[in-house]
Amino acid sequence: MKPDDRIRVMEIIARMNVSGPATQVTGLCERLSPVEFDHRLYTGYVDGGEGDHLQLRDVTIPVHRVPGLGRAIKPADDYRALFRLTNAMREFRPHIVHTRTTKAGALGRLAVRLSGLGAARVHSYHGHLLDGQLSRLRRTVYIRTERRLARMTDRLVTVGARVRDDLLAAGIGRPEQYVVIPPGAGLAPCPSVAGPAPRWASRWTRRSWRTSAG
């Protein structure tokens, strides 16, 4: 297909399970102007037991499935996914490659380099693995890998200032690379309640505030 004059964006995420990232990706795919952008979604398959956001939402956006681009790390599948992404980039020739999630971020940015294209590379952090989820060895590997990938990236997007600060403290990326974009959330009016709020509601409100403040 001959490229047109639109801005070509390649969106890569490991899987579209029911989650905040999937909701954001869906919103972009549905709302970016097709007149100005040729925005394409590349993703793998959800794991067993996970809900598929695309099926549950009955989303009709075009999806380019990449076998092997799931959550689990499997060297053979990862290599095939990297090969497929590289070929897809050479065919699509995107101006921007936007990756999300750890595995897709690694494979996507490596694929840009292997493809030989000069696409702008953007990676979004919807969180990180620095808070004790990993063993000491795996945490060290994770940090070193993310540091190297950050050097291959033009912009690093985080969903909050706390995520950015944690990553910078770990030596991942430079301050000028980061852009903080808090996730949007529509809130319905709070119902009026006669009398003081129950104790559990106050605890929940304080806990929610601390979580969202980052």
Side-chain angles (χ1 to χ4, degrees):
M1 181 182 69
K2 184 178 180 181
D4 53 31
D5 293 332
R6 293 179 295 173
I7 298 173
R8 298 183 295 278
V9 182
M10 188 172 188
E11 190 90 34
I12 306 174
I13 185 170
R15 69 203 196 285
M16 289 287 284
N17 60 311
V18 177
S19 61
T23 301
Q24 290 190 21
V25 170
T26 301
L28 281 174
C29 292
E30 291 176 338
R31 292 175 176 83
L32 274 181
S33 169
V35 177
E36 299 180 43
F37 296 92
D38 185 353
H39 185 233
R40 303 185 186 183
L41 172 60
Y42 293 76
T43 187
Y45 296 90
V46 299
D47 293 343
E50 290 185 319
D52 190 316
H53 177 87
L54 298 175
Q55 292 181 357
L56 294 174
R57 280 280 310 276
D58 194 24
V59 177
T60 58
I61 58 177
V63 178
H64 300 264
R65 294 288 185 179
V66 182
L69 188 61
R71 180 181 184 181
I73 297 177
K74 299 178 180 179
D77 287 346
D78 298 344
Y79 177 80
R80 284 192 287 269
L82 177 62
F83 179 78
R84 291 186 176 99
L85 286 172
T86 303
N87 285 342
M89 288 179 187
R90 288 171 176 165
E91 179 181 356
F92 181 35
R93 304 189 69 80
H95 297 106
I96 302 169
V97 173
H98 185 187
T99 59
R100 303 167 187 263
T101 66
T102 302
K103 180 175 172 178
L107 295 180
R109 284 176 281 184
L110 286 173
V112 175
R113 174 164 289 188
L114 292 174
S115 70
L117 300 175
R121 288 156 288 189
V122 180
H123 180 69
S124 286
Y125 288 98
H126 295 268
H128 54 63
L129 300 175
L130 300 172
D131 291 334
Q133 300 98 319
L134 304 176
S135 66
R136 180 177 298 181
L137 176 60
R138 290 186 176 182
R139 186 178 187 275
T140 299
V141 172
Y142 169 75
I143 291 175
R144 290 180 178 177
T145 301
E146 289 295 332
R147 286 173 178 172
R148 292 180 181 179
L149 290 170
R151 291 196 288 269
M152 301 163 50
T153 311
D154 297 294
R155 286 290 182 269
L156 300 169
V157 180
T158 65
V159 297
R162 181 174 178 179
V163 175
R164 176 202 59 196
D165 295 344
D166 289 346
L167 293 166
L168 284 171
I172 298 170
R174 305 182 308 277
E176 62 269 21
Q177 286 181 280
Y178 281 89
V179 177
V180 176
I181 304 178
L187 299 177
C190 295
S192 59
V193 179
R199 186 175 300 174
W200 66 265
S202 298
R203 289 198 301 268
W204 181 86
T205 301
R206 290 194 298 269
R207 186 166 61 249
S208 299
W209 172 254
R210 287 197 299 268
T211 301
S212 62

